Each structure stands twice: as structure tokens, then as C-alpha cells.
Amino acid sequence: MRLSRYFLPVLKENPSEAQIVSHRLMLRAGMIRQQAAGIYSWLPLGFKVLRRIEQIVHEEQARAGHIPLLMPTLQPADLWRESGRYDDYGQEMLRIKDRHGRDMLYGPTNEEMITDIFRSHVGSYKDLPLTLYHIQWKFRDEVRPRFGVMRGREFLMKDGYTFDVDKDSALHAYNRHMVAYLRTYERMGLTAIPMRADSGPIGGDDTHEFLVLAETGESEVFYDQAVTELTLGDRAVDYDDRAAVAGVCQEFTTLYARTDETHDAALFDAVPEARRRVGRGIEVGQIFYFGTKYSEAMGATVVTADGSRVPVEMGSHGIGVSRLLGAIIEASHDEKGIIWPEGVTPFHAGIVNLKQGDAAADAACEALYTALAGVGLEALYDDRDERAGAKFATMDLIGLPWRITVGPRGLAKGVVELTSRRTGDSVEMTPEEAVARLVGIYAPHR
């Protein structure tokens, strides 16, 4: 993409309404625009990152064997009356009537609807296990929406639902999601710690939240510092191997890590003092096992091998897709702007032409732009007739991980400059070497 043809309405000044870093930088970088309290339009740059994150979620769900579908944003209230949650959910639920006077709601979650779909089409244990998920917009009428996409009213969420014939199988589905989520967050450059948490209105006894440590987090967290050093890395995990999956979960949940709702001071005191940490965290996902809470209430049963009929064991598992943008920025920025991890960056590199209109510089930039596209890398080429300082400031603000700077002085030596946004380090190399270096950098992320 050429910046002269792109829609990137960056702001020079900090917006007065933005209280935290991610909200401020998303507004300044032209990623979002507020349309109402807690409701945003996603402008091209923000939308591009949103789709990057969504794609990673899809890929890791597919790796775990989960099946995508798409449910509507509006739901009939009768389904929620069946489960008993319609009156219990509270004022966060946006309740509406259609033109025929039927009670409807803008879905904050989809346990009832997916249970209705399941009971309409599945009746035998032979069709289990089954995991269905979608990525869809949700609405929760927060009394005080704030912090941009971190606590908005409308948000994009991946919510998945598991159906199993017995509790052991359902707990394996729970563990499978934990591993899939750990891999998902690592691909985004995040350290997201699974913490024992409260189930809230979803219900159930077993639940973990995934939290990214940040000073602006809404949750107080207590944890063993050693848990932040755990990584999945490149290890292969067979999602059908119950023991292997459970082993990974045990590795990531044995060390103390809890939110304030489930904090146990006695257990925390048993952690070596040098490793005890108290901080704040941003919730970016949560997994639940709630057994037959919905299947019993709504009649979602299957016939077992011995001919008996039992309610299915269920769980639900969510990732805050739009919230993740804010969390990534909170975890990865500096005084100049955003620093995108390579896995989610909107463009793989920026190209800055120091002397627009110079024949040699223009030709070199065009050649680099074409060469990067030829190896499957997207570049944002700043071809505007602007001073170099303004171009650098824009690139720093929007946070592309790598910048290639092209100018007459370097071209006279046959080189361009490749700069890391994270470290600020620059290296001179030929254009061909710069392209090859970027191919190597992004190889693990493709």
C-alpha cells in the first residue's frame, strides 16, 4: 500500500478523552473512531490488525480440531428464558422488541443459542466430541464504558462451545482450549497467564482467565514470577493425546497465579518471597467448564452406548479479539508510539523515501515495494512529499516492526537502511539483503 493512497488519519496531539496508552495511541494512529460511548468504527489500519488477530485465532482453533460457524448478533429472548438467564443477566443485556412485539436481545454470549442448535441436530454419543465456535460481534451495555476497546460496549469475540458425553471428555476439551489459547497468545507476542478465576454469569466450577500483565489492567493479580517465564515455543502437542494436553496444562497452572476474586493468601505465602508478585492484568480470554447447566435446562441430551439418554457435558471458551489490540499495545509501546509484534503487524515493513521525486530514490523504493510483494510481504510505502522527520514520526507512531529507509546518500553506496522499531538499531545493507532479512524474520510467523 502507498501511503499517499491510504486512509490513515493520524493525530498529532493526544486526545483529551483517552485515559490509557492503548486508547490514546489507537486514536492517534488513525485506527478507530468513536461513534458513541463504547462503540467504535474500525478504520483501515485498525481493521487490518483486527483481521490479523482473527486469522491467528482461526488457525489455532483449526489446529485443535474445532469447527467454525456463525451465529447472529440478535437472539430470541425465549432461549434465555429456557436457561433461566434472561432475568438474571442484569442491565448489561440490551433487550429490545421487534416490530411484532417479540422480545429479542443483542447477544452478550451464545450458550443458549448453540445449545439450541446442538439439540436440534445431535442425538447420539457417536457424534461426540464436538466443538463449535464463531467470531462475532457482541454487545454488553457497560454502565461506564471506558479505556477505548478495552472496555467498550460493542466488541468482537471468539466464543467456542464444547459438547461431550462425560465429564472426563469435557475436561479434556477444557484442557485442549487452554493449550490452544496459550499458543494463540504466544503467536501474538503476548505472555498471557492462565489464572484461576471466578465464573461470573456464565457459571461453572472450573474456569481460568488469561491475563496480560499491565499497569492499566482492571484486575488485581497475584502470581509466582516463574509463571511468566513459561512458554510453549515450537513444541508439538497432539490435541488427541489426553495425557500430553493435561501435562501442558499442569505445567502452566501449577505455579500460583490468581485474580483477586480467587486469591488465597495462605497459598500465596507459600511461594518463595523473592518470586511473589502483585500487579494488575488485562483479561484477554476465559475458559469455562460448567457441565450440564445448560443442557439440563434446555433438554440437550444424547443416547449413550448402553441406550440411556443423558444431558451433554458442556463448556464455553472465549477470546476477546478486539480487546486484544488494546492489550498488545499496552504491553508493547514506547513514548513514540505502538510497537507491533511481527505476528500481528498490519504491514510487514515500512518503506521511507527520503527524497521523493529523486529518480534513483523513487526507482529503488518501487523496486523494494515490488520485491517485498513478490515474496508475500506487505509494505507500507511512504511516498508522500513530506519531510523525513514527519515520515519517521508516522512510522514510529503506527508501530510497524521494520522500516527500510531509502535515500540518495545510501544509494550512492548501493545500500538502504533496515531499522528495528523495537530496538531502534539500524543496519546498512543492499536492497536484496534487506528483503532476504525480512523473509527470514517473518518465516516463523507465516
Side-chain angles (χ1 to χ4, degrees):
M1 177 59 64
R2 301 171 193 277
L3 193 49
S4 63
R5 301 178 187 175
Y6 199 48
F7 182 60
L8 186 67
V10 298
L11 303 176
K12 292 184 179 179
E13 303 297 329
N14 287 325
S16 59
E17 71 270 26
Q19 298 174 289
I20 62 172
V21 168
S22 59
H23 190 194
R24 182 166 68 247
L25 290 177
M26 289 182 77
L27 289 170
R28 284 199 57 212
M31 298 179 71
I32 56 172
R33 176 177 173 77
Q34 181 172 304
Q35 304 300 152
I39 300 174
Y40 293 88
S41 288
W42 289 80
L43 305 183
L45 192 73
F47 185 62
K48 199 168 179 62
V49 181
L50 195 67
R51 286 289 174 254
R52 297 272 196 212
I53 291 173
E54 188 177 347
Q55 183 61 33
I56 290 174
V57 173
H58 275 303
E59 289 171 0
E60 292 306 323
Q61 289 298 294
R63 190 199 296 249
H66 305 160
I67 304 168
L69 48 62
L70 185 63
M71 290 176 277
T73 56
L74 295 181
Q75 303 182 30
D78 287 346
L79 288 176
W80 285 66
R81 292 192 173 105
E82 276 192 70
S83 72
R85 284 207 300 174
Y86 185 69
D87 295 321
D88 294 343
Y89 203 88
Q91 293 185 330
E92 285 187 358
M93 181 188 289
L94 182 62
R95 296 164 170 85
I96 57 180
K97 288 184 182 291
D98 68 11
R99 66 191 302 166
H100 301 291
R102 290 176 294 223
D103 289 326
M104 306 288 287
L105 59 98
Y106 195 131
T109 184
N110 280 76
E111 282 81 10
E112 284 79 3
M113 184 167 284
I114 198 69
T115 303
D116 178 57
I117 291 171
F118 178 90
R119 71 184 178 182
S120 299
H121 299 286
V122 180
S124 171
Y125 76 97
K126 295 179 180 179
D127 296 320
L128 304 179
L130 181 64
T131 298
L132 301 171
Y133 80 94
H134 72 160
I135 298 177
Q136 179 60 290
W137 291 96
K138 302 285 192 291
F139 190 91
R140 295 177 188 168
D141 202 2
E142 296 277 356
V143 63
R144 289 186 299 275
R146 59 193 188 278
F147 303 156
V149 301
M150 298 290 289
R151 199 169 183 84
R153 292 194 292 166
E154 185 183 54
F155 55 95
L156 189 62
M157 179 177 171
K158 173 266 165 183
D159 44 318
Y161 305 90
T162 56
F163 302 88
D164 291 276
V165 72
D166 55 44
K167 183 175 181 178
D168 284 346
S169 298
L171 290 177
H172 172 59
Y174 182 95
N175 291 343
R176 193 173 64 239
H177 273 84
M178 182 176 289
V179 175
Y181 280 19
L182 289 169
R183 194 184 297 279
T184 298
Y185 297 128
E186 282 190 19
R187 286 187 60 186
M188 296 176 189
L190 288 172
T191 298
I193 305 169
M195 298 192 178
R196 178 66 64 178
D198 181 69
S199 61
I202 301 295
D205 297 326
D206 290 280
T207 180
H208 281 84
E209 286 181 355
F210 292 81
L211 289 105
V212 174
L213 300 175
E215 293 179 0
T216 51
E218 70 272 48
S219 300
E220 187 175 26
V221 295
F222 303 80
Y223 62 98
D224 183 333
Q225 173 66 26
V227 77
T228 64
E229 300 167 8
L230 299 175
T231 61
L232 267 179
D234 295 329
R235 76 177 90 169
V237 178
D238 181 354
Y239 284 102
D240 292 325
D241 186 333
R242 293 192 181 192
V245 171
V248 174
C249 293
Q250 184 176 19
E251 176 187 346
F252 279 82
T253 59
T254 298
L255 293 169
Y256 191 91
R258 296 196 179 197
T259 60
D260 52 355
E261 295 97 337
T262 61
H263 175 53
D264 185 317
L267 290 176
F268 188 55
D269 287 344
V271 175
E273 185 176 359
R275 300 204 320 247
R276 278 183 234 148
R277 298 289 186 274
V278 180
R280 305 202 69 79
I282 301 167
E283 181 199 340
V284 291
Q286 191 163 4
I287 58 177
F288 303 85
Y289 161 69
F290 44 67
T292 59
K293 174 181 176 177
Y294 296 94
S295 56
E296 283 186 343
M298 300 182 67
T301 62
V302 293
V303 176
T304 64
D306 62 10
S308 60
R309 184 171 286 275
V310 298
V312 292
E313 297 276 343
M314 292 177 58
S316 69
H317 315 278
I319 286 180
V321 175
S322 53
R323 169 179 270 241
L324 272 166
L325 271 84
I328 291 169
I329 293 170
E330 291 291 333
S332 185
H333 67 273
D334 62 15
E335 70 282 357
K336 296 178 181 178
I338 302 165
I339 306 173
W340 291 116
E342 279 83 357
V344 297
T345 180
F347 296 93
H348 298 106
I351 300 174
V352 171
N353 189 339
L354 292 180
K355 193 170 183 181
Q356 198 70 38
D358 177 83
D362 290 355
C365 288
E366 292 289 345
L368 273 168
Y369 185 77
T370 302
L372 288 169
V375 294
L377 297 177
E378 290 185 88
L380 181 63
Y381 172 24
D382 192 341
D383 60 342
R384 300 171 300 162
D385 187 15
E386 287 275 0
R387 59 185 179 82
K391 293 187 176 187
F392 290 146
T394 297
M395 287 294 175
D396 285 341
L397 173 62
I398 66 175
L400 305 186
W402 296 94
R403 185 186 76 225
I404 303 176
T405 305
V406 180
R409 184 177 301 175
L411 290 176
K413 300 185 293 182
V415 299
V416 296
E417 190 175 72
L418 182 65
T419 303
S420 165
R421 173 67 180 88
R422 186 168 299 279
T423 67
D425 294 338
S426 297
V427 180
E428 288 188 341
M429 57 184 67
T430 67
E432 294 78 15
E433 289 171 338
V435 171
R437 178 74 62 87
L438 290 173
V439 168
I441 289 168
Y442 284 102
H445 304 282
R446 302 171 69 186

